[in-house]
Amino acid sequence: MNNQETNVFQVYWQTYCFNRLLIRHWENDYFIFNPSSGDTHLLNETTMFILKSLNKKAMTIEQFINTFSADEQTINEMKQHLPFIIQNIAQMGLIEPLDAE
Amino acid sequence: MKLKDVSLKILKKELQHGEFLLKTGPFLTKIKSTHAGFFDLLIKMYAENEYITDLNQQLYHFSIQLEAGKGIHLFWNKQVIVKTDSTPPFTPFPHTHAFLLFEWCLNWCIALQSHQYLMLHAAVVEKDNQAILLPAEPGSGKSTLSAALMLDGWRLLSDEFALYDIKTKLVSGLGRPIPLKNESIEIIRQYSEQAVLGPTFEKTRKGDVAHLRPTTQSVEKMSQPIKITTIIFPQYHIEGDNQLNDFATGRAFLKVTGNSFNYRLQGARGFNAVADLVENSKIFNLKFNDLSQAIQNIEQIS
């Protein structure tokens, strides 16, 4: 892995004002209203699980992946997709990076 | 007093002096017009609506003035201009289209100023305390369907604005004519002998437009707001079967918020209002190419 990829996996992420979010859940969809931005978002089960996990405890992508007992192929897929998902959630204003220190 | 009970002579005088308030649902609109072609059609289309001429200490919501075009357009290519309390929202229309201009201006006033309501771009009809919300994009057949339902005995609250009171969770009626477009005009004319249609305004930016007068019941009950019990997303299509199917709550939330004039402005209370609405309503998708069959489908689930 190069330095840029290392950084992505080692940034700590935490939720931002999670307790203020309005959340409704129907079928497999989560609709979230963020009072800080006034935006409404639609998240699937996977993304919502990630958000809830980060709300329990700030984690890096690497730490998040390590919470699962998964085979190598699954772990590689997670490494491929998670940076994109994390970036999306961050752009929604729902999570923010925490200083690793 | 109702418009149908006023003489044309008195109405002209009141309108020319701007001493006239028209009641449409929860709104009072002050109207001033010197345009001759406007008076007859106003009486015809709003026959059952009440009006007020004693403006002393009377508050009103909107003010609309119709004037003749300026300069050369007084004599050639005659025009009508609309003004409200703010910047005129529309370019001049042909003078024959004064009523159409009034209707579009009133829509504009409601959409821009009525943020005490969550405003949904939807028709609302009601029968036996079963109120149906019909949210839809232009071209879906919403106006034609709501017109047919009204002519079949349903109360029409509105074909365009669902005025949803977030506190009471009730929708108010407006008692306004339905603007039918293009093929829908003749479809509704043929659908019922009870249909009272205005003249056809040709070559508008939406094609041909003619107005259908609201039924007496629709106007008389406009001060009786009601709770939505059912949401139906109509979809007119030329080919294919008529189908009424269940519709997912989450998708309904997306479509209702997407069809709102001021969802974002309402913030958190708008989010909760729409969420509560879809959670507590029966929700369907209706594909139709036949009005009678569509109405039959709707009657079966009501």
Side-chain angles (χ1 to χ4, degrees):
Chain A
M1 258 193 280
N2 62 33
N3 282 340
Q4 191 174 5
E5 286 175 338
T6 305
N7 289 340
V8 164
F9 284 88
Q10 291 179 351
V11 169
Y12 278 80
W13 293 96
Q14 65 180 0
T15 55
Y16 179 74
C17 295
F18 184 87
N19 291 336
R20 293 184 60 209
L21 299 177
L22 303 180
I23 302 174
R24 297 284 187 123
H25 172 213
W26 302 291
E27 294 96 30
N28 296 324
D29 296 323
Y30 290 82
F31 292 84
I32 298 181
F33 178 81
N34 184 356
S36 302
S37 62
D39 292 331
T40 302
H41 305 287
L42 167 60
L43 302 187
N44 59 23
E45 295 264 16
T46 302
T47 312
M48 194 65 202
F49 176 76
I50 295 169
L51 189 65
K52 285 180 178 175
S53 301
L54 292 177
N55 185 54
K56 283 183 189 165
K57 183 182 169 187
M59 282 187 273
T60 65
I61 293 179
E62 197 167 5
Q63 287 171 337
F64 179 78
I65 292 172
N66 291 339
T67 61
F68 295 92
S69 303
D71 57 53
E72 191 178 339
Q73 186 183 350
T74 305
I75 288 177
N76 286 337
E77 282 176 9
M78 290 171 77
K79 283 182 178 175
Q80 187 184 354
H81 295 296
L82 273 173
F84 176 73
I85 296 173
I86 291 292
Q87 186 185 20
N88 270 351
I89 308 174
Q91 280 177 349
M92 291 178 200
L94 300 176
I95 61 174
E96 59 182 0
L98 177 68
D99 278 338
E101 297 173 22
Chain B
M1 199 167 179
K2 294 186 179 184
L3 230 61
K4 67 179 181 183
D5 298 323
V6 72
S7 77
L8 189 59
K9 186 178 172 185
I10 292 175
L11 179 67
K12 277 183 185 176
K13 182 184 160 212
E14 308 290 3
L15 280 169
Q16 283 165 355
H17 289 97
E19 291 165 2
F20 181 91
L21 299 182
L22 177 68
K23 186 166 171 54
T24 54
F27 304 123
L28 278 175
T29 303
K30 182 171 178 242
I31 307 173
K32 183 176 180 181
S33 174
T34 53
H35 197 280
F38 177 68
F39 308 133
D40 291 327
L41 202 43
L42 186 71
I43 289 182
K44 183 177 182 180
M45 288 294 123
Y46 284 99
E48 298 291 340
N49 290 66
E50 291 178 3
Y51 71 97
I52 298 170
T53 53
D54 181 5
L55 269 60
N56 187 29
Q57 295 183 354
Q58 178 68 57
L59 294 177
Y60 50 88
H61 299 87
F62 317 118
S63 174
I64 296 177
Q65 300 129 60
L66 295 168
E67 298 175 357
K70 306 293 182 194
I72 196 170
H73 292 294
L74 269 172
F75 313 104
W76 174 78
N77 230 11
K78 289 183 184 177
Q79 290 177 341
V80 59
I81 296 170
V82 71
K83 291 182 180 177
T84 70
D85 285 334
S86 59
T87 308
F90 297 99
T91 54
F93 275 30
H95 75 112
T96 50
H97 288 23
F99 183 79
L100 178 66
L101 185 56
F102 167 76
E103 286 290 302
W104 282 355
C105 187
L106 184 50
N107 285 349
W108 184 85
C109 289
I110 293 172
L112 254 68
Q113 298 177 52
S114 307
H115 299 299
Q116 67 271 40
Y117 299 101
L118 170 64
M119 289 185 280
L120 306 175
H121 184 215
V124 185
V125 293
E126 176 264 329
K127 193 176 193 179
D128 300 327
N129 285 323
Q130 299 295 310
I132 302 178
L133 183 77
L134 299 151
E137 294 83 18
S140 61
K142 158 177 68 67
S143 293
T144 311
L145 180 59
S146 54
L149 282 162
M150 182 184 74
L151 292 167
D152 267 10
W154 288 70
R155 166 168 65 130
L156 174 80
L157 284 86
S158 178
D159 82 296
E160 184 80 12
F161 291 95
L163 301 178
Y164 186 84
D165 187 314
I166 290 179
K167 277 188 194 158
T168 63
K169 302 189 181 188
L170 303 175
V171 174
S172 296
L174 279 173
R176 289 183 62 201
I178 300 177
L180 299 170
K181 301 175 198 62
N182 303 312
E183 297 82 13
S184 297
I185 300 170
E186 201 50 38
I187 288 171
I188 292 299
R189 197 190 305 275
Q190 299 295 329
Y191 186 81
S192 172
E193 290 176 352
Q194 309 303 318
V196 177
L197 286 158
T200 300
F201 299 104
E202 296 177 350
K203 297 179 186 175
T204 75
R205 60 190 170 142
K206 296 188 179 183
D208 293 347
V209 178
H211 295 85
L212 173 69
R213 188 171 77 190
T215 54
T216 303
Q217 177 196 204
S218 299
V219 179
E220 286 182 348
K221 286 187 175 181
M222 64 185 183
S223 60
Q224 297 175 24
I226 192 155
K227 182 173 183 255
I228 299 293
T229 54
T230 309
I231 302 173
I232 297 178
F233 296 97
Q235 232 178 312
Y236 173 74
H237 63 141
I238 296 174
E239 296 169 5
D241 297 333
N242 293 283
Q243 287 182 13
L244 184 72
N245 297 313
D246 288 335
F247 200 76
T249 307
R251 287 184 65 198
F253 180 90
L254 274 176
K255 284 177 82 76
V256 171
T257 54
N259 273 303
S260 171
F261 293 101
N262 64 349
Y263 166 74
R264 189 173 171 81
L265 198 69
Q266 299 291 339
R269 57 186 225 139
F271 176 84
N272 283 327
V274 178
D276 290 343
L277 177 63
V278 297
E279 268 182 356
N280 296 302
S281 302
K282 296 181 287 184
I283 311 174
F284 302 93
N285 185 44
L286 173 67
K287 289 185 181 176
F288 71 101
N289 57 26
D290 179 85
L291 274 178
S292 297
Q293 183 62 53
I295 291 174
Q296 214 172 9
N297 286 344
I298 290 173
E299 302 255 354
Q300 277 169 1
I301 54 143
S302 299

